Amino acid sequence: MKDPFLQISNISKTFNHFTALNDISFDIYKNEFVCLLGPSGCGKTTLLRIIAGLEEADHGSIKKNGEEMLHLPPVQREFGIVFQSYALFPNLTALQNVEYGLKNKKVSKAELKQRAMEALQMVDLEQIKDKYPAHLSGGQQQRVALARAIALSPKFLLLDEPLSALDAKVRKKLRYEIKCLQQKLGITTIMVTHDQEEALTMADKVVVMNNAQIMQVGTPEEIYFHPANPFVADFVGSINIWNHHVEGVTKAIRPEHIRLSKNQGMKSEIKAIEFRGATYRIELEVIDSASPLYSQKIEVDLFASSIQAFNLKRGSIIFVQFPENQVLTYKEQVVY
Amino acid sequence: MELAKKVNIAGRLSKKKRAVQGKNEQLQTILIIFVILSFMVSLILPLSALFGQALYDREGNFAGLNNFVKYFSTPTLVTSLQHTAYISVMTMFISVGLAFMYAYSLTRTRMIGKSIFRYAALLPLFAPTMMHGIGLMYLFGNQGLITSGFFGFSPGWEIKLYGPIGIIIAETVYTFPQAFLIIYIALQHTDYRLYEAANTLGSGRLKQFLNITLPSAKYGIITSMFVVFTLSFTDYGAPKIVGGQYNVLATDIYKQVVGQQNLSMGATVGVLLMLPALVAFFVDHVSQKKQSMYITSKAMGYKIPGNKGRDLLAFLYCLLITCFIMLLFVAVGVAASVKIWPYNLGFTLDHFKFSSFSGDGLTAYKNSLIAAGITAFVGTIFTFIFAYSIEKIRKKRFLRKLGYLLSIIPLSVPGLVIGISYVFFFSKSELEILGLSVSNPFHFLYGTIAIIVIANILHFYSVAFVTATTALRKLDKEFELASESMGVPFYKTMFTVTIPMCLPAILEIAMFYFVNSMVTISAVVFLYSADFKLAAISIVNMDDAGNISSAAAMSVLIVLTNIVVRLLYEWAVLGLRKRNAEWQK
Ligand SMILES: Nc1ncnc2c1ncn2[C@@H]1O[C@H](COP(=O)(O)OP(=O)(O)O)[C@@H](O)[C@H]1O
Ligand SMILES: [Mg+2]
């Protein structure tokens, strides 16, 4: 395999005895879109800021193309960054904001303007170039910030929760646009998010973090279908988790992998049916006293057709089956 | 080929960026060290000189606490301390009580004329404290308007003005605006949801007042009590004019240092002067932390229920206070522009020529304008840069914290103490450090305008610093990170973004420095030189020489100047707001 573009090794960081990052290592390849995913407070932003050089790590190394980068000041790391707050300068127009970093590069006035306009065109905003940030919508501000970050033709892009301040509709649209832009530019990108859907839809590689540590690194599919531990299984997507007392392990299965049957499997009673648009989420209680899951609640996702086929209502009795190859087994015991 | 070119460009770029970054960080380090060093020279070393002096006797022998023992065994000095404490306590209760009712009327009633009342309450800020004394003389003095019953039209009313009564009234006028502002803000910020909750629980008006209003304004009231106490404890101007034979610490220290050249006893009194302010400093620290419990970002403004009787009462009260303040100012204005009070009340502008007073009245006024102008200009630049360094530089955390602490300390150093400690530090051409004698590199400042400007800046620095810091904190803290990541030096972002966005606060700071430099006397009374007299000082000198109408005229000039500057400030802020409307929401 080719050499990694960024090699993050054994990064640790503490704030007055509080461990914010604990021995973080992973590689990022050229043109990859990497998502740092984890619950709030797990250290994602801190890691991003260490990569940017806006925060100092206590230990570890970050190599860019094989060369140590940790001692370099931010500018020399050659990245573009979009902050959670966007940090657009309120007293400068959209265009002036995008030009801001270029001005320092001693390029000619004409080239400066041209490059800034190109960046604005990239995010489809040349028509609002003379507006001030206060007069732009959240989504537009976000894209101006993105244009400002890419105008300097950085080697990689850092995005800290770029979509979290937007409402759901805009967020979905921008998710797609950012991904398109990233592919068009072929720029290596690291994005921080606590939204697993965002990570799964946008990333080539997801780094799942919890409590200052890496939980799993993998493609969205690996993370979703083969979560390495109960935390990832639970954090990414929905999942049923239970302790198997006989085997002394933890088992898990996703709601959409559970099969229903009229007469075979664990006997269960339907407790609730929740309409979710394209699918229904069914909550069952296992009433088969021989089952290790006896009296546990289970969630199952079904299409409307299955609901009709089984004629399901609250209180109906149904049998559930866990396909062997879909059940995940973990050695860790988890208390739920 | 194409690729090679690109790599080449990148390589060139990064070399240049390296240079920029290096300079950037160096400059930031230099800045923050400069902040600390400035405080060393303007605050720490002079105060050390003061405390040091208090430990030595007149002949320069180490005396330990003997000076304090001597102080407390000298009856006249102890009496002064008692006097000062008495004045300050009385002023504290009267001023805070009046200010609370005034602020309450403005925030919790629907009376008319609120904005006029608000400006009227602030009027005393534009005048030197001597002027309040002079105004009182013309109202309650031996030939005062009220003493003589409006020149015999009505029965006279004589109060024993010269002494504690006069000082207390003058100090009350002087401290009223400060107490009012603090309490006003505290009352304004009380969360209305607390009252809504109380209403739904059916608790009565009195209960709400006792259980919500008072506790939520409690820290404002406590803070204002300490502020008022400290201000009147250390004021020099009012006791000088209406104190008569009633000695207080502030006049004592002047007599000890300037009159008797007893620097050791002067320093001892200086240390005593600092005590209430030091206590206030810690109380304020605690109360500020607690006050935030009552002020949350979701707090709702107070909705005032209708009540005609209450509104009328509040209106009459505010009218009374406003009339008294106005009367004081008008009295001084009239005194300054009639021929001979009270015998010839014909109009004249002769007193504004200051011809009877050795001719340097107008020069003193001009000097004051120069000193206040330089203080405002230099002070604003320094304050903003200091606040910026402490607030916005990313590294050097320890030094920045130290800088913050040093920026708040001047708040508790009274002007007189600044003045006297500057005398102790800057007047010496040789400094004794651990028994070694080195020449004092700052001695050359002594007796120049520069030392007056420095004293003024330090004297008013903390409030200005807090204003600047508040403005800076309103800006996204990621502006600096964003520019750092783009390789733009921090000072460029400061000039293109930070300063334009903070311009209203910057103007406010400049105005604040100017107005206060015009009226202050406490710090500069020790520092002015014979060839650079100041207006505030000439008021005292004219009063001493019995030339009270000239003193009144000078006061009027100062007040008018300050009002003009204030109006200019309001006009500039209005213009700014219009100009910036396009990038504001
Ligand atoms: N400058 C700092 N000082 C002290 N603690 C910090 C600082 N920055 C972050 N932390 C702490 O480190 C932890 C991780 O923060 P962060 O990286 O912002 O989390 P995330 O972005 O994953 O929500 C949090 O508990 C936060 O309180
Ligand atoms: Mg974060």
Side-chain angles (χ1 to χ4, degrees):
Chain A
M1 206 165 179
K2 57 186 183 329
D3 291 331
F5 171 61
L6 281 179
Q7 223 171 342
I8 295 163
S9 329
N10 312 103
I11 292 287
S12 295
K13 171 80 184 172
T14 55
F15 293 110
N16 318 313
H17 307 299
F18 172 80
T19 306
L21 291 174
N22 183 4
D23 200 25
I24 302 288
S25 305
F26 62 95
D27 291 342
I28 297 170
Y29 291 90
K30 196 101 196 111
N31 303 348
E32 233 177 359
F33 194 119
V34 176
C35 271
L36 302 181
L37 173 67
S40 179
C42 71
K44 309 175 296 285
T45 298
T46 307
L47 178 57
L48 196 78
R49 287 164 61 106
I50 287 174
I51 296 172
L54 300 170
E55 194 88 66
E56 282 78 39
D58 299 340
H59 299 288
S61 99
I62 299 181
K63 288 191 173 135
K64 191 174 86 181
N65 290 324
E67 272 180 56
E68 184 55 72
M69 171 172 99
L70 263 194
H71 62 276
L72 293 180
V75 234
Q76 286 173 42
R77 302 187 183 197
E78 297 175 288
F79 62 87
I81 187 164
V82 175
F83 293 97
Q84 199 166 359
S85 64
Y86 313 145
L88 292 177
F89 303 126
N91 60 331
L92 304 182
T93 62
L95 182 63
Q96 287 168 337
N97 262 288
V98 179
E99 287 173 344
Y100 195 76
L102 289 167
K103 277 211 175 122
N104 217 43
K105 294 283 176 293
K106 298 267 189 307
V107 293
S108 73
K109 262 225 156 84
E111 191 192 338
L112 186 143
K113 175 122 191 204
Q114 192 208 335
R115 279 176 70 177
M117 281 308 287
E118 271 172 20
L120 274 179
Q121 273 159 14
M122 284 275 191
V123 295
D124 215 7
L125 279 182
E126 65 266 49
Q127 72 284 358
I128 56 97
K129 67 180 166 54
D130 293 323
K131 287 202 176 173
Y132 289 92
H135 301 287
L136 300 177
S137 71
Q140 287 172 329
Q141 289 180 30
Q142 213 284 319
R143 277 143 68 198
V144 174
L146 201 57
R148 183 174 72 178
I150 60 176
L152 289 168
S153 319
K155 295 278 162 54
F156 59 108
L157 200 55
L158 302 174
L159 312 171
D160 189 359
E161 309 244 6
L163 304 174
S164 65
L166 304 171
D167 44 337
K169 259 259 163 64
V170 186
R171 198 150 65 204
K172 284 225 168 97
K173 186 164 160 273
L174 267 175
R175 204 147 86 184
Y176 173 75
E177 282 183 12
I178 291 178
K179 181 72 187 169
C180 285
L181 186 69
Q182 186 262 339
Q183 283 173 338
K184 195 155 72 183
L185 294 173
I187 186 169
T188 313
T189 301
I190 307 173
M191 182 174 102
V192 162
T193 179
H194 65 268
D195 181 341
Q196 43 108 3
E197 197 180 317
E198 223 165 88
L200 294 184
T201 50
M202 297 173 79
D204 300 317
K205 178 194 274 176
V206 182
V207 177
V208 188
M209 294 176 61
N210 187 35
N211 280 335
Q213 281 174 313
I214 290 190
M215 292 283 118
Q216 185 174 8
V217 180
T219 64
E221 289 81 2
E222 282 165 357
I223 299 282
Y224 190 83
F225 293 115
H226 309 286
N229 48 55
F231 173 81
V232 177
D234 192 37
F235 189 75
V236 179
S238 307
I239 202 150
N240 298 293
I241 294 193
W242 67 96
N243 290 321
H244 199 288
H245 296 294
V246 184
E247 295 175 29
V249 294
T250 301
K251 297 214 167 207
I253 186 165
R254 298 216 177 267
E256 70 271 25
H257 292 154
I258 296 175
R259 301 257 173 77
L260 295 191
S261 156
K262 286 202 167 111
N263 43 30
Q264 281 185 9
M266 282 182 291
K267 190 173 179 191
S268 307
E269 182 187 335
I270 296 193
K271 288 289 184 191
I273 301 179
E274 188 183 293
F275 178 56
R276 295 214 159 177
T279 60
Y280 286 80
R281 159 115 355 143
I282 317 289
E283 194 182 296
L284 306 162
E285 187 179 316
V286 178
I287 53 174
D288 179 352
S289 58
S291 158
L293 274 168
Y294 175 60
S295 90
Q296 295 249 15
K297 297 262 170 27
I298 292 177
E299 291 177 334
V300 184
D301 284 350
L302 294 173
F303 287 110
S305 53
S306 313
I307 302 276
Q308 280 157 9
F310 290 103
N311 189 22
L312 296 182
K313 290 190 188 62
R314 220 160 72 89
S316 307
I317 302 297
I318 194 81
F319 292 84
V320 295
Q321 298 172 343
F322 297 164
E324 200 53 46
N325 58 346
Q326 306 281 22
V327 176
L328 305 162
T329 307
Y330 301 103
K331 284 200 281 297
E332 297 98 323
Q333 288 283 307
V334 191
V335 185
Y336 282 100
Chain B
M1 177 61 209
E2 192 61 39
L3 193 76
K5 213 168 111 197
K6 259 193 194 154
V7 169
N8 201 357
I9 289 170
R12 258 207 339 255
L13 269 180
S14 67
K15 242 183 226 133
K16 213 173 87 232
K17 280 186 227 155
R18 195 182 304 249
V20 169
Q21 181 60 34
K23 257 199 303 197
N24 224 15
E25 274 201 17
Q26 272 170 17
L27 210 61
Q28 293 189 339
T29 310
I30 291 172
L31 250 184
I32 194 82
I33 290 176
F34 177 71
V35 171
I36 306 292
L37 286 181
S38 305
F39 282 113
M40 280 307 284
V41 174
S42 66
L43 181 69
I44 302 297
L45 290 177
L47 279 186
S48 312
L50 173 83
F51 282 97
Q53 187 79 51
L55 298 178
Y56 287 84
D57 66 14
R58 276 184 99 155
E59 283 72 44
N61 304 314
F62 185 76
L65 293 177
N66 276 349
N67 282 326
F68 292 91
V69 173
K70 204 162 120 202
Y71 182 92
F72 284 103
S73 50
T74 312
T76 52
L77 292 176
V78 175
T79 311
S80 287
L81 182 60
Q82 286 165 345
H83 286 172
T84 315
Y86 172 69
I87 300 263
S88 309
V89 170
M90 291 303 287
T91 307
M92 177 178 85
F93 282 116
I94 297 172
S95 177
V96 172
L98 293 175
F100 178 81
M101 290 194 283
Y102 203 89
Y104 189 86
S105 302
L106 279 170
T107 50
R108 301 296 165 87
T109 75
R110 289 192 192 169
M111 67 174 178
I112 50 165
K114 279 188 186 175
S115 55
I116 293 176
F117 287 142
R118 207 161 57 82
Y119 278 110
L122 301 182
L123 201 56
L125 290 177
F126 294 130
T129 52
M130 290 79 76
M131 176 169 164
H132 309 319
I134 293 171
L136 288 175
M137 280 165 63
Y138 281 101
L139 293 179
F140 298 104
N142 296 335
Q143 289 166 333
L145 194 63
I146 292 174
T147 317
S148 65
F150 298 90
F151 307 126
F153 287 115
S154 68
W157 180 35
E158 190 173 345
I159 61 170
K160 285 188 68 191
L161 180 69
Y162 299 99
I165 296 179
I167 303 179
I168 290 171
I169 302 178
E171 301 295 9
T172 301
V173 175
Y174 162 51
T175 54
F176 179 79
Q178 328 240 7
F180 162 73
L181 272 181
I182 297 169
I183 299 170
Y184 181 75
I185 290 168
L187 282 177
Q188 235 181 1
H189 285 168
T190 305
D191 193 346
Y192 183 63
R193 289 174 304 178
L194 295 174
Y195 292 92
E196 281 184 332
N199 280 335
T200 55
L201 294 173
S203 50
R205 290 258 161 259
L206 182 67
K207 225 174 169 182
Q208 290 188 15
F209 180 81
L210 293 177
N211 292 340
I212 306 174
T213 309
L214 276 186
S216 63
K218 185 167 78 192
Y219 296 108
I221 293 172
I222 293 174
T223 305
S224 64
M225 284 174 96
F226 274 99
V227 167
V228 169
F229 186 91
T230 312
L231 285 174
S232 38
F233 197 80
T234 61
D235 180 45
Y236 174 78
K240 185 82 185 82
I241 303 290
V242 288
Q245 299 305 314
Y246 197 79
N247 285 335
V248 294
L249 287 183
T251 45
D252 269 4
I253 195 174
Y254 185 76
K255 281 183 210 150
Q256 292 287 349
V257 174
V258 177
Q260 305 176 9
Q261 292 291 319
N262 187 346
L263 298 187
S264 299
M265 200 40 80
T268 308
V269 179
V271 171
L272 290 179
L273 274 174
M274 270 191 74
L275 292 183
L278 282 179
V279 175
F281 181 74
F282 289 108
V283 171
D284 195 53
H285 228 67
V286 175
S287 65
Q288 252 176 21
K289 263 184 202 148
K290 294 208 173 149
Q291 177 73 58
S292 56
M293 290 190 311
Y294 285 93
I295 304 169
T296 64
S297 57
K298 281 185 189 135
M300 266 168 71
Y302 188 81
K303 290 194 201 99
I304 305 161
N307 182 339
K308 289 253 160 62
R310 177 206 60 198
D311 292 352
L312 183 67
L313 213 63
F315 179 78
L316 290 177
Y317 171 70
C318 290
L319 191 67
L320 187 73
I321 298 279
T322 299
C323 282
F324 182 73
I325 294 173
M326 289 300 186
L327 195 61
L328 217 51
F329 276 71
V330 169
V332 177
V334 170
S337 50
V338 298
K339 286 197 176 115
I340 308 167
W341 178 281
Y343 308 109
N344 183 349
L345 298 181
F347 179 78
T348 178
L349 286 177
D350 279 351
H351 302 306
F352 287 90
K353 291 182 188 147
F354 305 105
S355 46
S356 57
F357 180 69
S358 62
D360 61 16
L362 276 179
T363 321
Y365 174 68
K366 206 181 74 196
N367 288 345
S368 265
L369 285 183
I370 294 171
I374 300 178
T375 303
F377 186 74
V378 178
T380 305
I381 293 175
F382 271 69
T383 308
F384 191 80
I385 290 179
F386 281 25
Y388 181 91
S389 313
I390 289 166
E391 198 56 37
K392 298 288 183 184
I393 287 179
R394 196 162 56 77
K395 293 178 183 171
K396 306 277 177 297
R397 193 195 290 246
F398 174 75
L399 287 181
R400 286 190 298 120
K401 276 211 168 133
L402 183 64
Y404 188 86
L405 185 69
L406 289 171
S407 292
I408 298 299
I409 288 178
L411 198 60
S412 52
V413 186
L416 281 175
V417 175
I418 293 177
I420 190 176
S421 58
Y422 275 28
V423 172
F424 291 151
F425 178 65
F426 290 98
S427 69
K428 289 188 184 133
S429 52
E430 301 272 304
L431 293 175
E432 297 269 338
I433 301 170
L434 303 171
L436 282 175
S437 179
V438 290
S439 81
N440 181 356
F442 303 104
H443 175 62
F444 75 97
L445 293 168
Y446 195 64
T448 65
I449 315 183
I451 199 161
I452 290 174
V453 168
I454 296 173
N456 277 344
I457 294 178
L458 186 79
H459 191 179
F460 307 116
Y461 172 78
S462 292
V463 172
F465 170 80
V466 170
T467 307
T469 303
T470 310
L472 285 170
R473 282 191 183 160
K474 280 194 196 136
L475 303 184
D476 195 332
K477 59 176 180 297
E478 285 170 343
F479 286 164
E480 279 70 29
L481 299 182
S483 15
E484 194 176 350
S485 73
M486 288 186 277
V488 180
F490 74 95
Y491 50 85
K492 264 197 185 158
T493 303
M494 186 167 98
F495 282 115
T496 41
V497 179
T498 320
I499 289 180
M501 302 225 33
C502 291
L503 218 45
I506 291 174
L507 288 177
E508 190 184 332
I509 292 169
M511 191 256 317
F512 174 80
Y513 271 125
F514 186 92
V515 167
N516 279 295
S517 305
M518 283 303 287
V519 302
T520 190
I521 184 164
S522 54
V524 291
V525 74
F526 294 105
L527 300 173
Y528 74 95
S529 64
D531 48 359
F532 196 79
K533 288 197 178 121
L534 295 166
I537 287 159
S538 75
I539 292 178
V540 170
N541 291 345
M542 289 189 263
D543 175 71
D544 272 348
N547 196 343
I548 303 172
S549 27
S550 293
M554 186 61 87
S555 306
V556 169
L557 270 188
I558 293 179
V559 171
L560 288 181
T561 308
N562 279 342
I563 290 177
V564 167
V565 167
R566 172 80 199 201
L567 289 176
L568 277 177
Y569 159 78
E570 302 266 350
W571 172 76
V573 168
L574 215 70
L576 260 186
R577 212 171 277 152
K578 251 187 225 145
R579 213 196 66 192
N580 297 346
E582 52 177 346
W583 48 265
Q584 274 154 358
K585 269 184 204 136

